[in-house]
Amino acid sequence: MKFMKLGSKPDALQTDGKSIRYISSELATDIIITVGEVKFHLHKFPLLSKSNRLQKLLSKINDENSDEIQLDDFPGGPKAFEICAKFCYGMTVTLNAYNVVAARCAAEYLEMTEDIERGNLIFKIEVFLTSSIFRSWKDSIIVLQTTKSLLPWSEDLKIVGRCIDSIASKTSVDPASITWSYTYNRKLAELDKIVEDKITQQEKIEPVPKDWWVEDICELDIDLYKRVMITVKSKGRMDGVVIGEALKIYAVRWLPDSVDALVSDAHAWRNKSLVETIVCLLPCHNGIGCSCSFLLKLLKVAILVEADESSRVQLMKGIGLKLHEASVKDLLIPARFPQNTKYDVDLVRDLLNLYMTNIKGSHDVAVEEKKDKANDESVLGHRFLLKVGNLVDGYLGEIAHDPNLSLSSFVDLSLSIPEFARSNHDGLYRAIDIYLKEHPSLTKAERKKLCGLMDVKKFTVDASTHAAQNERLPLRVVVQVLYFEQVRAATNARALSNSPRNPSNALADGDEECEKSGGESCQSLNSQMCHMKIRDEECHKNGKLNKKSSKNSRSGMQLLPSRSRRIFDKLWNVGKGQGENRSSETSGSSNSPTSIVPGDTKSSGSSLRHRRHSIS
């Protein structure tokens, strides 16, 4: 820390109690100056020789036959006046970053200018500020902090503005040229390492990071911090990512972690002002330099403290540009009255709509899958959408536990992303299964609508295995899972037998062929069997399974739990009977009706050709 010593005489100012200060001298004091609650017993001559204001006040009290001067609203209080008094007596005074602003304001109040005496206090303090304080990084920050208690004097004397300009200028310096000390605690402490002798000391010195300055200015009050950041941004030399990091560090420093502390009456207004200020300081282009996680946390706080609408809209716009960077935890924003759900599902849906609108504006989503894979923007956009698809499914899995979550909200949120944003439907299946478990009172129609969101052809083997044994799923879904797994197993078996030398490629090709053949078979049967109904207890008839085919489809048969085996036994027993109406459990049409597993006998295929298989 920089300091300056003034005067050379020993300190002769004594204290008598808490409110009396006097000069220990052979000469009796002849004037009393009251500053606040402290009375200073001093001599007229040293003071009058350096203070123009005291000269005027003394002439006034002489006319009133008084020896006491009252200094009201003295900047800096008794401590600042004590510095000025000691300077007038020539006593040793030490100025530093903590008291120099108070001394400067006090000297201005007392009019200790060059007109009264050369080398007066104002001149000496200005030299110290210019040559030392404003050239020091940490001293400039300390001085700026002290100016808040000395307003409006510090503002009128341009001390605040000069401090801010000094700080902002230093933040823009090339990090390679920085030689002063700074605070940087965000890097994880490394374990002690044994350094080889041949490594020089210069090589061990790490480069200065671009955001070296952000922690030091975090101690500033929000109004001063705002002015510093505005000046930093106005210089145009600071990266938006660094600006975003600075705002994040400041928010972490001052925003409380608990919801109760955020909304408490004692701090609600301060937190509201803090959030609104940080939002207005976000980098250009709607906070493009900030992480999506940070923006979502700000939005959560903004909602809790009831920040103004413009701040929330600005945050949502920024989040809508980079939602693919978010995590499920970030989206768990508590709902506010009058919503009865645990989390604000409507807000997340609005964010998804904003994101999809932005994607459509920059990439043609309708032809995303048809674009040339060499197109980097297309591939990148598709990858982002897959991340959003996983994010939505994960979020659905979290909110599905809420008993107050309506089916329409769940369905609308699930449909808010395009079909190709999901590489598979495992996450969606998990969310639907949780919802079915937490909402056992759903009607048959509601369960059918909910399960209609899934495409069983996009289940992995693990999801298919679980779904085949899931008692909560409608019967039609279980049968669809079993059928498509049978088709996949049989197709993979054929592919393996045809290409024994490349089993991995054969499996991949088999999955594609399975999906293709399964879809075509389902469509053909659906068109051929559209005029008849079969009892709901039948659900689906695969025909008589060939033993040889069953061996090739061993992995698919392993999916059959006891409930599913009973279904297939029943289908086999009534398979040769006449088509009847199904029970209410298995009624309804299906977009993916069952078909015959490869290897079925001709008779069963002939029998099925005249029947419509509709699975509910």
Side-chain angles (χ1 to χ4, degrees), residues 175 177 247 500:
S177 304
L247 296 175

Side-chain angles (χ1 to χ4, degrees), residues 49-51 87 111-125:
S49 64
K50 290 182 172 37
S51 173
F87 176 80
E111 300 177 11
M112 301 174 74
T113 63
E114 295 294 288
D115 296 338
I116 302 299
E117 183 179 82
R118 288 177 61 85
N120 212 340
L121 185 57
I122 290 178
F123 172 78
K124 292 185 179 297
I125 291 177

